[in-house]
Amino acid sequence: MLNYIWAAMIILGVIFGAITGSMKEVTEAALDSAGEAVSLCITMAGVMALWVGLMEVAEKSGLLLKLTNTLSPFVSFMFPRIPKGHKARDYISTNIIANILGLGWACTPAGLKAMEELAKLEEERGTAGYVDNNRKVKSSGAESAGGQGRGSLRSGSGEANGKKEKRERVASNEMCTFLILNISSLQLIPVNMIAYRQQYGSVNPAGIIAPAIVATFVSTLMAVVYCKGEDRKRRV
């Protein structure tokens, strides 16, 4: 969808330039923007390399492990059905820490790994859609027991009551909760925004820190309230 939106904006810009006789300005703007894009990418690569390196230092020094242990009560509160010691908890904690530090890009690998582990957890629970397609489901009752509290999660092909039926894979409660927390993303240091503001000549690039903390705190608080509310509705 985004590809269509950007393509439509470009086409409309060119048409408008042709109609108003300002094709020269459109061409110059396109070339200038291309140069700025390269410069911005190089700047952001340097910023992310610095912070990702600091994350590696924190991991090697044991600081990341201490922060993960500190977040353990919050993770248990938000994800009570994830067993303690499960790998998903570590990846979720790492993702949250990276988000708090404003490392939006650096937290992506941990987020993907967390989703993979959550999918494995659903497979272990026997959730329809996550089990091996070669397995056969003996009864629809087993499916409903495996999917209790998460909605209908059905995917792939299987056999129930002797009949083949199509099953669709749907995100579990834990996956949805993690995604919402990742989007709300409490940030103490909005690294990306500071770099963008500095790149475009802001007088005070770090002036966004206080508003960003307030905004992301409120969004994260609302995300927690929403997730727990929805989880309670499912249990009821």
Side-chain angles (χ1 to χ4, degrees):
M1 178 59 70
L2 286 177
N3 290 336
Y4 292 114
I5 293 175
W6 282 111
M9 291 174 64
I10 293 173
I11 293 173
L12 288 174
V14 173
I15 294 175
F16 180 80
I19 294 175
T20 58
S22 56
M23 283 300 296
K24 178 181 178 181
E25 288 76 6
V26 172
T27 303
E28 290 177 353
L31 295 176
D32 291 341
S33 298
E36 289 182 6
V38 174
S39 177
L40 180 61
C41 288
I42 294 174
T43 301
M44 295 305 298
V47 172
M48 295 310 300
L50 170 63
W51 283 96
V52 171
L54 290 177
M55 285 287 288
E56 288 291 329
V57 172
E59 182 179 2
K60 299 295 183 181
S61 64
L63 178 61
L64 190 59
L65 179 60
K66 292 181 180 179
L67 293 174
T68 300
N69 293 334
T70 303
L71 280 177
S72 182
F74 176 75
V75 174
S76 298
F77 172 71
M78 294 302 302
F79 306 93
R81 300 184 68 251
I82 299 180
K84 289 187 176 181
H86 198 277
K87 289 182 179 179
R89 292 173 61 97
D90 295 333
Y91 289 125
I92 289 173
S93 298
T94 302
N95 178 270
I96 293 175
I97 292 170
N99 269 325
I100 290 175
L101 296 177
L103 308 179
W105 297 340
C107 72
T108 300
L112 295 176
K113 285 290 185 181
M115 282 296 188
E116 289 180 4
E117 293 300 327
L118 290 175
K120 292 179 182 178
L121 181 60
E122 291 304 306
E123 182 178 358
E124 294 170 3
R125 291 171 175 170
T127 302
Y130 290 89
V131 295
D132 190 344
N133 290 337
N134 294 325
R135 297 179 185 176
K136 293 183 178 180
V137 182
K138 295 182 180 179
S139 65
S140 59
E143 292 180 16
S144 60
Q148 183 177 3
R150 291 181 299 278
S152 59
L153 307 179
R154 311 180 177 202
S155 154
S157 60
E159 292 182 7
N161 297 329
K163 296 181 180 180
K164 284 190 176 182
E165 59 181 42
K166 193 81 172 177
R167 295 189 178 87
E168 180 184 356
R169 178 177 292 190
V170 179
S172 66
N173 283 0
E174 288 83 1
M175 291 178 179
C176 293
T177 299
F178 174 62
L179 181 61
I180 293 172
L181 285 177
N182 188 66
I183 293 172
S184 64
S185 179
L186 172 65
Q187 290 189 7
L188 299 180
I189 309 174
V191 177
N192 292 349
M193 291 304 300
I194 292 174
Y196 292 144
R197 285 164 61 86
Q198 184 176 13
Q199 176 70 18
Y200 289 103
S202 173
V203 177
N204 183 18
I208 196 176
I209 291 179
I213 292 176
V214 173
T216 56
F217 174 78
V218 172
S219 65
T220 303
L221 180 62
M222 294 305 300
V224 172
V225 172
Y226 174 79
C227 290
K228 299 308 290 184
E230 289 297 314
D231 190 48
R232 179 173 296 181
K233 286 180 182 178
R234 289 190 181 95
R235 288 201 301 268
V236 172

